[in-house]
């Protein structure tokens, strides 16, 4: 086993009190967005933060901070992508 792939996660501010259960379980089981990683490749969470609330002011800064903490990939949490209602700025965030 090599060095772990380091992951940062950004959640919707509506769910800022979320403990991350679905994200961490999906990561562990390599489900959803995490199915791109081989099961034998170790993954490590290096940051978990919210978007900062509409219109997503923290999204301008959070990715850089996650990268400073070693993130090699940044995932947008399920609540941000398919929450009710889904985030109307998701396309901007992905860019």
């Amino acid at each position: 086993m090599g060095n772990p792939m380091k992951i940062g996660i950004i959640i919707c501010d509506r769910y800022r009190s979320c403990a991350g259960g679905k994200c961490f379980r999906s990561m562990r089981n390599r489900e959803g967005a995490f199915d791109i990683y081989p099961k034998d490749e170790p993954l490590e969470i290096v940051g978990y933060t919210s978007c900062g609330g509409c219109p997503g002011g923290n999204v301008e800064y959070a990715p850089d901070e996650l990268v400073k903490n070693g993130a090699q990939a940044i995932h947008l949490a399920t609540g941000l992508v398919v929450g009710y209602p889904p985030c109307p700025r998701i396309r901007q965030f992905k860019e």
Side-chain angles (χ1 to χ4, degrees):
M1 240 189 254
N3 293 326
M5 172 65 127
K6 297 182 181 206
I7 308 287
I9 298 176
I10 300 176
I11 66 170
C12 175
D13 195 63
R14 292 175 292 177
Y15 307 109
R16 68 183 160 273
S17 62
C18 178
K22 287 182 183 178
C23 289
F24 299 140
R25 183 175 53 250
S26 294
M27 185 184 85
R28 185 176 54 253
N29 296 332
R30 302 302 195 275
E31 298 169 341
F34 295 98
D35 69 357
I36 63 173
Y37 304 105
K39 290 194 182 259
D40 62 343
E41 179 180 352
L43 301 177
E44 175 184 342
I45 298 292
V46 297
Y48 184 84
T49 189
S50 83
C51 66
C54 292
N58 198 33
V59 172
E60 292 182 34
Y61 309 103
D64 288 338
E65 189 64 30
L66 293 168
V67 169
K68 285 180 189 175
N69 288 332
Q72 298 164 285
I74 298 172
H75 286 262
L76 301 176
T78 302
L80 191 68
V81 179
V82 296
Y84 184 79
C87 177
R89 295 173 182 84
I90 195 73
R91 288 187 185 172
Q92 294 167 302
F93 293 172
K94 287 180 180 181
E95 291 172 10

